[in-house]
């Protein structure tokens, strides 16, 4: 019999452990006068909960307290905590002063496609009582269930400013106007259009300066010592490096984050007070790269498309004390700035970058040109920045006739960094690749040519890496140089160091996972390295040939991603990009931002399994974080998309798009081999309509809730009428994907459910206990097996080193997840679209799942495993679970954050309800 043992401590202290302002990462900026904030609590005893809180706000400049909430009750009672009978509401974020609360303790969604309506959560966010623009600090304290107050938290700073205030009196400046640049308009320049003579002539006629990296500068005087605060708002398009007095502001890479610049233009805010020189001359420089803002091609190019030549807008604000008064000084971009071409002689997001160090002392400053404004709305970034996160040294040297070749040991997204000694004017070429062939870097399947060229200035050791381009690679080929210690009869530059630099979005990592099966641990490493490589400004589908935000990954991998990373700001920014990409007729493209229109290949431009991210993500965000703000903000977008699909469907059947992309069968993967488009399309049309009804119910739109629930039921009946074979109990072709859709989405009639499940299990057995699903359907297959407690079968399907499976990629030598189930067929070796299984490592093996402030712990004690340990973070704090098997005995330990309650479901036992704290269960 399993016994619950809880640990109790005497002190009973509650502490504000972590705070967050959910407006922007880094220098916190809010466009609204009441920015949302949240906090997490820790306690040294079980059963702790917050019963009241108080927030204080201070003016940073004067130090005076300007507002307080006073002591406010939190919406918890002793009866509600741990009883499983709590009641809550679904108010909009900011319209409540409480933490998340959920109706009922039903098992949270292992099946993440049907549980939204049962969450009934309100946001854990509070609103700061701020009524005007300014710079503020805030702190919070709470009271526990015994009325004991915590200490005040540390103070955090938040800048409240509208976009108009953020750039007041600033102008967009650069080297040439858009008219002078003569850049072709439109987003159709790909494939045959890209190769046409007429198109090539148009791009050849552009002003060469319009594609060059430029540096803008402004010198300004400060005559005051007593600086209280100083910050700069910068939007440099496509990418911008901001330097104050020779020091870079922050450690951001390739900022600001990408967007559709006709809809949204993001900006960063940096604290520059430590970099300023009081009582003297100061200098700010902005170095601009092209990025996706200005992709004019050169070398490898996926497409050509430009919103205009490089441009920047900037405003510095400095506050200082003058006697007893606070004064302000501003510096803004305008025609009093200067620009110069700089040593970056070529930069392309797809093609690479060149740098001529001989030009570092040859800046020729000219008056900056006031440029046309981008069409998009200026917005502060909501997601963390991309940063250089890790460096890898040389694992082994593999020389060839092409020059020096190095295996860096790990496939990454990033760029090389090289250190050289040589003569002025000598050139070194660096080519990176995911694989090698005949002793050379091989880019044939990842987009070629992509390379970097560095020209030495000849002054001692020179270290360089690109600023504005990156690629996916494990191997680095260096031509035109020798390694230190090599023979050097030709006097070539000498390379003294070489590193590969991993870059990705710096969202906080919040999870740990380990178990007794080394293949599962290796699979986790494989998947997470691919996730990091593709977690840039948006979730990309590969960091080499594409770099585009293909949307199916966003919702299919949402839980896997959110177990591992704090994505609250990132999901908000993703939704902004998806909404910006939505067409006027309500359709949603497969990629966001939609930098290129795939009009020649319509199936690649729209597919309901991709576009449906606009419906799924707001509801997932609500379920995961207990915050319904995205549902409310984007409900009209969600509704327009479902209505658009209705116009495409024929009597409830939708045949559109790509289907189960890259499913498994004989030969190379691509278009679906096993499942017809009408099954995949119609199932997702049903799902999005069903979820829209839940969204309507959530926000109190009862009319829409009933209307779309009725429409979903009509679609379900159409699928069962036209795509279900009543004689064989198979959907469509009887593929694993088709039957899994029906089981997981709730399409199948209850009376036929077991027959369809048995057909699914029989098909798995017929394929040697192997899957046949692909990009779209893996998650549905895994979820079906999980929902029906077929975990041992799921484990068996993947616990091997053959294709299809994660082990085959590891056996093949991959260090990131590959695009195809069978890596020998090539394509990208750095995709995370098949990484769904990681979700089940947490939810099934460790047993952790949650919605809002309610956890469910339901571990699956698989016979082959001897231990599993995992942790992740909810909006309330860290959740832990660990089990170990010793002989026939199993010990299960969990940790529940303050203000959360939990239900523990152990095999063959009635559910046990526990409060926050540490709990042990053993037999």
């Amino acid at each position: 019999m399993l016994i619950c043992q809880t640990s109790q401590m005497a002190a009973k202290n509650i502490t504000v452990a972590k705070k967050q302002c959910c407006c922007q990462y880094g220098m916190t900026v809010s466009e609204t006068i009441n920015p949302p904030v949240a906090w997490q609590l820790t306690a040294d005893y079980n059963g702790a909960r917050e019963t009241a809180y108080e927030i204080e706000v201070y003016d940073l400049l004067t130090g005076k307290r300007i507002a307080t909430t006073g002591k406010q009750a939190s919406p918890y009672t002793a009866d509600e905590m741990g009883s499983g009978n709590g009641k809550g509401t679904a108010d909009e974020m900011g319209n409540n002063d409480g933490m998340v609360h959920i109706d009922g303790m039903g098992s949270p969604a292992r099946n993440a496609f049907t549980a939204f309506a049962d969450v009934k959560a309100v946001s854990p966010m509070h609103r700061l009582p701020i009524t005007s623009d300014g710079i503020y600090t805030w702190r919070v304290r709470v009271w526990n269930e015994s009325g004991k107050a915590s200490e005040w938290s540390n103070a955090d700073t938040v800048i409240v400013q509208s976009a108009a205030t953020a750039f007041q009196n600033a102008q967009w400046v650069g080297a040439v106007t858009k008219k002078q640049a003569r850049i072709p308009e439109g987003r159709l320049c790909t494939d045959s259009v890209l190769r046409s003579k007429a198109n090539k002539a148009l791009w050849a006629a552009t002003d060469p300066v319009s594609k060059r990296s430029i540096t803008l500068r402004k010198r300004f005087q400060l005559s005051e010592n007593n600086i209280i605060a100083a910050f700069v708002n910068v939007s440099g398009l496509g990418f911008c490096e901001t330097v104050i007095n020779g020091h870079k502001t922050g450690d951001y890479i390739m900022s600001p984050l990408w967007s559709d610049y006709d809809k949204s233009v993001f900006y960063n805010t940096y604290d520059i007070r430590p970099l300023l020189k009081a009582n003297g001359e100061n200098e700010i420089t902005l170095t601009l790269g092209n990025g996706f803002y200005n992709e004019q091609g050169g070398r490898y190019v996926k497409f050509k498309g430009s919103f205009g030549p490089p441009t920047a807008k900037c405003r510095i604000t400095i506050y200082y004390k003058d006697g007893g008064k606070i004064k302000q000084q501003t510096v803004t971009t305008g025609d009093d700035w200067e620009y110069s071409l700089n040593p970056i002689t070529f930069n392309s997001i797809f093609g690479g970058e060149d740098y001529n160090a001989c030009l570092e002392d040859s800046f020729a400053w000219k008056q900056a040109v006031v440029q046309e404004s981008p069409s998009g709305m200026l917005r502060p970034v909501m997601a963390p920045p991309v940063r250089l996160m890790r460096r890898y040294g040389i694992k082994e040297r593999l020389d060839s006739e092409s020059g020096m070749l190095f295996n860096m040991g790990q496939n990454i997204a990033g760029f090389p960094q090289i250190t050289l000694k040589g003569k002025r004017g000598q050139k070194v070429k660096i080519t990176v690749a995911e694989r090698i062939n005949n002793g050379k870097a091989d880019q044939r399947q990842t987009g070629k040519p992509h390379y970097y060229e560095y020209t030495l200035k000849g002054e001692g050791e020179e270290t360089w890496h690109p600023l504005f381009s990156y690629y996916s690679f494990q191997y680095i080929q260096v031509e035109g140089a020798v390694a230190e210690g090599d023979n050097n009869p030709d006097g070539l530059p000498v390379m003294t160091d070489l590193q590969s630099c991993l870059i990705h979005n710096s969202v906080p990592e919040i999870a740990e996972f380990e178990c007794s099966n080394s293949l599962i641990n290796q699979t986790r490493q494989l998947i997470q390295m691919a996730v990091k490589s593709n977690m840039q400004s948006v979730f990309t589908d590969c960091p080499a040939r594409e770099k585009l935000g293909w949307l199916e990954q966003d919702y299919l991998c949402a839980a896997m991603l959110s177990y591992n990373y704090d994505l609250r700001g990132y999901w908000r920014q993703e939704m902004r990009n998806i909404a910006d990409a939505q067409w006027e007729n309500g359709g949603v493209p497969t990629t966001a931002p939609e930098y290129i229109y795939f009009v020649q290949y319509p199936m690649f431009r729209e597919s309901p399994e991709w576009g449906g991210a606009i419906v799924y993500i707001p509801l997932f965000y609500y379920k995961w974080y207990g915050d319904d703000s995205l549902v409310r903000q984007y409900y009209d977008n969600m509704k327009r998309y479902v209505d658009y699909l209705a116009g495409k469907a024929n009597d409830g059947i939708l045949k559109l798009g790509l289907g189960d992309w890259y499913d498994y069968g004989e030969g190379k993967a691509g278009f679906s081999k096993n499942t017809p488009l009408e099954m995949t399309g119609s199932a997702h049309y049903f799902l999005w309509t069903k979820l829209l009804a839940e969204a309507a119910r959530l926000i109190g739109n009862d009319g829409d809730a009933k209307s779309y629930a009725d429409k979903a039921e009509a679609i379900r009946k159409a699928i069962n009428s036209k795509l279900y074979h009543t004689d064989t109990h198979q959907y469509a072709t009887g593929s694993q994907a088709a039957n899994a859709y029906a089981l997981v989405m709730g399409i199948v009639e209850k009376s036929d459910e077991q027959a369809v499940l048995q057909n699914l299990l029989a098909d798995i057995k017929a394929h040697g206990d192997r899957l046949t699903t692909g990009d779209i359907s893996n998650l549905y297959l895994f979820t079906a097996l999980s929902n029906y407690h077929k975990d041992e079968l799921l484990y068996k399907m993947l616990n091997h080193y053959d294709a299809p499976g994660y082990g085959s990629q590891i056996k093949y030598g991959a260090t990131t997840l590959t695009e195809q189930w069978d890596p020998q067929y090539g394509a990208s070796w750095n995709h995370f679209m098949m990484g769904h299984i990681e979700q089940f490592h947490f939810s099934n093996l460790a047993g952790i799942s949650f919605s809002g402030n309610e956890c469910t712990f339901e571990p699956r004690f698989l016979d082959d495993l001897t231990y599993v340990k995992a942790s992740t973070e909810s909006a309330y704090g860290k959740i832990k679970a660990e089990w170990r098997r010793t002989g026939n005995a199993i010990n299960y330990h969990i940790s529940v954050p303050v203000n959360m309650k939990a239900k523990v479901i152990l095999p063959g036992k009635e559910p046990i309800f526990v409060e926050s704290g540490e709990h042990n269960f053993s037999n």
Side-chain angles (χ1 to χ4, degrees), residues 80-105:
E80 288 173 337
M81 286 301 296
S83 70
N85 298 313
K87 300 294 181 183
T89 63
D91 290 338
E92 184 173 2
M93 183 181 75
N95 293 340
N96 66 88
D97 290 316
M99 306 293 279
V100 173
H101 200 73
I102 303 171
D103 275 340
M105 278 296 289

Side-chain angles (χ1 to χ4, degrees), residues 100-243:
V100 173
H101 200 73
I102 303 171
D103 275 340
M105 278 296 289
S107 180
R110 290 174 186 278
N111 179 353
F113 303 98
T114 59
F116 302 111
D118 299 326
V119 179
K120 296 293 188 297
V122 295
S123 169
M125 299 301 156
H126 305 253
R127 293 278 182 176
L128 291 183
I130 295 173
T131 58
S132 62
D133 286 3
I135 310 177
Y136 305 95
T137 61
W138 68 281
R139 64 178 187 168
V140 63
R141 62 175 173 172
V142 302
W143 283 262
N144 70 2
E145 72 289 344
S146 300
K148 183 176 181 180
S150 72
E151 298 294 326
W152 283 101
S153 69
N154 294 330
D156 285 348
T157 301
V158 58
I159 300 172
V160 178
Q161 60 184 11
S162 66
T165 302
F167 290 94
Q168 187 175 13
N169 299 323
Q171 296 174 297
W172 290 98
V173 296
V176 293
T177 65
K178 192 172 183 179
K179 182 177 180 180
Q180 292 167 339
R182 302 185 301 276
I183 301 172
E185 300 283 346
R187 307 192 195 187
L188 300 175
C189 190
T190 187
D191 300 311
S192 61
V193 175
L194 184 65
R195 295 187 294 269
S196 71
K197 289 183 179 180
N199 184 267
K200 289 179 179 179
L202 287 174
W203 286 94
T206 60
D207 187 327
V209 173
S210 71
K211 68 183 74 175
R212 279 289 302 271
S213 174
I214 62 170
T215 298
L216 295 156
R217 80 170 180 183
K218 173 67 177 177
R219 290 173 173 167
F220 58 97
Q221 294 287 329
L222 281 179
S223 56
E224 299 294 333
N225 282 316
N226 198 4
I227 299 173
I228 305 170
F231 61 92
V232 59
N233 298 316
V234 182
S235 183
L237 306 177
F239 296 134
C240 180
E241 290 269 307
T242 304
V243 174

